[in-house]
Amino acid sequence: MPGLVLSSAHGECLGPFILRLGAGASRWADGCGPVWPRPPGTADWSEKAGPAPCCWVGVRSFLSPLLAWIIFKAAFALVSEDTKKEVKQSKNLEKGGISRKSDVDLKGIVFVIQSQSNSFHAKRAEQLKQSILKQAANLTQELPRVLLLHQMSKQEGAWTILPLLPHFSVTYSRNSSWIFFCEEETRIQIPELLETLRRYDPSKEWFLGKALHDEESTIIHHYAFSENPTVFKYPDFAAGWALSIPLVNKLTKRLRSESLKSDFTIDLKHEIALYIWDKGDGRPLTSVPEFCTDAVNASCATTFHSFLPLCGHPVKKEDIFFAVKTCKKFHGDRIPIVKQTWAGQASLIEYYSDHAESSIPTVDLGIPNTDRGHCGKTFAILERFLNHSHDKIAWLVIVDDDTLIRMVFSREAIRRLLASKCRCYSNDAPDDMVLGMCFSGLGIPVTHSPLFHQARPVDYPRDYLSHQIPISFHKHWNIDPVKVYFTWLAPGEEDKARQETQKGFKEEL
């Protein structure tokens, strides 16, 4: 049920471009995989490397965003009762921990903005950095240290945070009390943040954040806490989250004594919380009511901006080619859903299969179907797009027959990929991981968006989705995919009103 919004400050992206979609996309997400979900396996969506100064690409499960940059689903303010209770409980000061106000000033806080190297995202992060420094100057306090995560990328896996903790421990433990993390669209009220952190004794181990929890066990968390998923809390990065230096030091000792066990990340916020919790031997998340995503009250130290970026004129839908990956066994049940939802809004679309069927129609790529990976099929699509009848089309979107969007490529990215020696090592290799390695070797960076979801809406906390403009979801398992489309993703009359609302953000950008 996809759609795509592409633009740059000059109306086009000049450099090579590759998107890897999903908040930790599943290597099992491909069309013609098993009907039952399998463990997910890889990371992000990738974006462009090139001269265009601003190029944000979002893919949504309908094509109206292709014609209007700021069409999005209204975020509904659903806050779970359990989360409210958790917040209320955290108001009660814990004995010995936050029974007295500590003497914390800005020089004791290291701000880490979870930024990305793409020019648009880097600019947004820099604007947040300047806002923090300006507020500090207005308070006539010593300026804090503000770090941009993408500038620390020499450390392998820096975006996953944990590999950076030893650096933070060595560099900042002597003169700092807190490491405060936030996203580039997090809005911080420095006086309120200082007041909030002063409630917590910085000599103790603290893991602070806005608490989320699963409402049912989910594949993206490997069905953790299946007997009662609500018991485990993890932070909403959009609201900001903080580690006290004593906890950073403790985690550093553990990292030095035992290496991280996983070589891929699916849901970073959940995995960080699991690592810190350490099977009950570590520190659980403490819910902080002042860490907000919606400005629910005047005491909020943080809020979050939920809007799609304004980055120039949208790309015309005639410049985007959609390739749907399917196979014979799913022609009858999945393809009709694609056609019933988003396909009618696509100007250029083809269905690629292991069997030619004129009634759809499908194109037989000559690649046998595999239960997983589908790398051979993906590369066959790339070859066909580059070398056959689509020479004037700038963008390729690859979609699974049961997902909403997977990968978006510029023609230049495909050209550079196919000109290289990088290929699948087998037809059933995980195409997302192979592509990630190939583009990494070509110097085309990865950009992540939490708005692309690798699972169903029911697999995410309501409070997490409430401040999002969802672009995509994945999997038809145990849901009505048509209902999901029209509930979350289909364009409506309210989109026009939201376009006008978003114009107010242009000056900020």
Side-chain angles (χ1 to χ4, degrees), residues 210-230:
K210 176 186 175 182
L212 299 173
H213 68 264
D214 294 335
E215 294 166 36
E216 60 180 63
S217 61
T218 172
I219 188 174
I220 62 174
H221 297 154
H222 299 292
Y223 301 106
F225 307 95
S226 57
E227 294 184 358
N228 184 5
T230 65

Side-chain angles (χ1 to χ4, degrees), residues 470-487:
I471 289 172
S472 67
F473 293 102
H474 175 228
K475 287 295 182 189
H476 296 173
W477 178 63
N478 259 12
I479 61 168
D480 179 350
V482 175
K483 183 178 180 180
V484 167
Y485 172 76
F486 285 103
T487 299

